[in-house]
Amino acid sequence: MSNAWKVYLLAAVSFLLGTSEYIIAGILDTVARDVNVSVAAAGQLITVFSLAYAFGTPFLIAFTARMEQRKLLVYSLGVFVIGNIIAVVLPGFEFLLVSRVILALSMGVFVVTSFTVATKMTPPDKQGSAIATILMGFSTSLIIGVPLGRVIASAYDWRLIFGGIGTLSILAMIVILLVIPRSNGDESVPLRKQLALIKQPKIIAALMITFLWISGYSTVYTYISPFLLSITGMSSKTVIIALFAFGIASLFGSKLGGYSTDKWGFPRTLFVSMVLHVVALVLLSLSAQSPAIVFLVLIFWALSAWSTSPTQQYHLMTLAPAASGIMVSMNSSVLQLAMGAGAGIGGVVVEQASLASISWIGAAVVAIAATTVMVYLRVTRSKAPPEIRKDIKETNI
């Protein structure tokens, strides 16, 4: 099997992991009814997952940094299987909370390790595309995994979803053992040195870019369904089609971001994708009364927003190559926190202002992220390696 197909294998596993994370939102009402809690209480399953992922992953990555990475992929999937088993066989809301924590922690370790393994299996000029391919697995889970899970939950028992994910994960463990090559882990980075990494201005700035960009995105996307129904006037059926189109476009956006990073470098890709993201959200506000135009704007939004992700992941890995796993785990943690922050901002806007305002607020937050990118690139230009300095200069930002 070629290395390219091995990266696609990791993307297929990321589809399983992504489905396990996102599926709760798609079947929240069913789960709440089955475990006899309110929908609001069941929503804490999403919060617990994000917090466990955000705060637990960096410590686990540091603890396992020196472990052989194929072995780490298999071990993390084994723990992931245990989390799914708990969701299937142990009754009650409390055990479901425990399952979510285990799933989040194991998923965090697998995702960070898979990024590192993928870049080691690919040449330098293809590493951005390799990361984008793995991210494509998560995009696909939103497009296929969540709707399919909703169908299964409606026709059968929602626990069957986690049983299926667990079974497929066992098969994935076997395949990984057979086809993924062994690779050494990073040098172990003590917590003290991790904190020292966080203190570096360039790393703080890069993580702040992730936080602002994702917060702006999440502010709008969390409430996109009611926005399309109430403000744009789409029918429920059209909203489903629009969100499906958004998901398809996000796949192409991830690949576009990876290709652009490899072709033109991260400075140009990062800045341009942010600017286009702002433009998309402004257009969403201006065209809100026209369902046909909004449909096209959603596709444009998905392409611009998702093209940023592989670029930012790759950039963070280059900031501390000897601790690439730590950097990716930090970025993943910040991403999870930003999603929660964006949802909270959107909730406040909807309650205190109006639903129609969320796209303006989201655009403003992403604009701050784009400005941060511009300042960050200008400040770091003189300190960058010659090839990166030339690339930044050519972007004229």
Side-chain angles (χ1 to χ4, degrees), residues 11 34 47 107 127-128 130 140 193 248 259 295 300 330 397:
D34 189 64
T47 303
M107 174 178 167
Q127 290 177 350
T140 307
K193 291 188 177 181
I248 293 294
Y259 173 81
F295 193 96
F300 176 45
M330 285 182 182
I397 58 176

Side-chain angles (χ1 to χ4, degrees), residues 173-246:
M173 291 170 63
I174 298 172
V175 175
I176 286 174
L177 277 174
L178 293 175
V179 304
I180 298 296
R182 294 172 58 89
S183 60
N184 295 327
D186 294 331
E187 186 68 25
S188 180
V189 182
L191 181 59
R192 176 173 52 82
K193 291 188 177 181
Q194 287 188 58
L195 295 176
L197 285 175
I198 298 176
K199 292 179 182 178
Q200 294 182 30
K202 63 180 181 179
I203 293 178
I204 294 175
L207 293 176
M208 181 58 66
I209 289 168
T210 294
F211 184 83
L212 291 169
W213 151 58
I214 291 293
S215 294
Y217 171 85
S218 180
T219 296
V220 185
Y221 187 75
T222 301
Y223 296 93
I224 192 62
S225 291
F227 181 92
L228 296 177
L229 288 167
S230 302
I231 306 302
T232 303
M234 288 185 179
S235 66
S236 297
K237 183 177 180 179
T238 305
V239 168
I240 293 173
I241 297 172
L243 293 179
F244 181 78
F246 183 95

